[in-house]
Amino acid sequence: MTDDPAAAVDAAARLPRYFQIKIALTERIAEAAPGTSLPPERQLAAELRTSRTTLRKALAELTAEGVLRSTQGSGNYVAPPRLVHVRQLTSLTHDLGAEGLTLTSRLLSADRLRADADLAIHLDVPSGRRVHRLTRLRIVNDEPMAIETAHLPGRLPGLAERVVANGSLYATLREDYGIEIGTVEDSVETALATPTEANLLQIPSGAPLLMVRRQARDAAGDVVEWTKSAYRGDRFRFVSRSS
């Protein structure tokens, strides 16, 4: 890295024009409170001395990254900071509750199904074994944030009703069934929201998602959960910690 101001200015000038505008917008946004409205595009383009086409490319990237929120017919707003979910032995309920946020859930479906070959591998059960499936919409401060589909083996009578009453799957397993999570293995990848996911999460179809797959085991090493979750990519970041 150089300490020469002239060299730094020259390096910045070689950046693509839209990226220069993106940097300027990022600096402006850093000084604004969440929910602050940016000036109209015409005014903003004039202030930054750029075309509206270039400006829109920069705005689109900042929106995809979760820095801005774009509302059709209303404008662009500074987005709130991303929520942090520590992917360890904790649940979303625990992590967000620790941040003072209100997490609620809406049960979308609850049933039992016969495990196909793939699900049987993840749950370590024979193919065809009946397992529980719960799909919930996770809502933070009245804003939909994630869709979680949990698969669980074993006899768990009244599971759906108890999870709804308790609000937390892990707390329900521990308090109602005596099942304590011992170890977890998570995998995270990116995906684009399907129309169904977009409708539930109130985001545009094709918006970025973080897809998290978790296999949890109890202290004896038996699989107790295989969950697939779709988190809004513009509102979440994950932190992994080891003790």
Side-chain angles (χ1 to χ4, degrees), residues 35-53:
T36 300
S37 175
L38 295 188
E41 285 186 4
R42 186 182 300 277
Q43 176 184 338
L44 198 54
E47 291 177 4
L48 297 174
R49 299 181 180 179
T50 190
S51 68
R52 294 178 71 178
T53 299

Side-chain angles (χ1 to χ4, degrees), residues 70-153:
S70 180
T71 304
Q72 185 88 19
S74 178
N76 298 287
Y77 300 85
V78 178
R82 295 192 182 196
L83 304 174
V84 177
H85 188 10
V86 181
R87 302 299 295 182
Q88 202 175 19
L89 298 184
T90 55
S91 65
L92 186 62
T93 303
H94 175 277
D95 289 343
L96 298 187
E99 293 187 26
L101 300 171
T102 301
L103 174 68
T104 58
S105 300
R106 175 156 62 92
L107 184 65
L108 300 177
S109 65
D111 60 1
R112 297 192 68 192
L113 73 157
R114 296 193 181 277
D116 60 17
D118 182 64
L119 183 55
I121 291 173
H122 291 302
L123 289 177
D124 196 19
V125 299
S127 184
R129 174 72 58 84
R130 290 177 65 83
V131 299
H132 298 270
R133 178 173 60 186
L134 295 178
T135 300
R136 296 180 295 163
L137 180 65
R138 310 289 265 163
I139 303 165
V140 180
N141 290 354
D142 298 322
E143 186 176 17
M145 289 292 171
I147 304 167
E148 292 186 353
T149 300
H151 302 85
L152 304 99

Side-chain angles (χ1 to χ4, degrees), residues 52-75:
R52 294 178 71 178
T53 299
T54 300
L55 173 66
R56 284 172 180 164
K57 185 172 182 179
L59 290 172
E61 283 204 2
L62 290 171
T63 299
E65 293 169 4
V67 178
L68 289 176
R69 285 187 177 178
S70 180
T71 304
Q72 185 88 19
S74 178

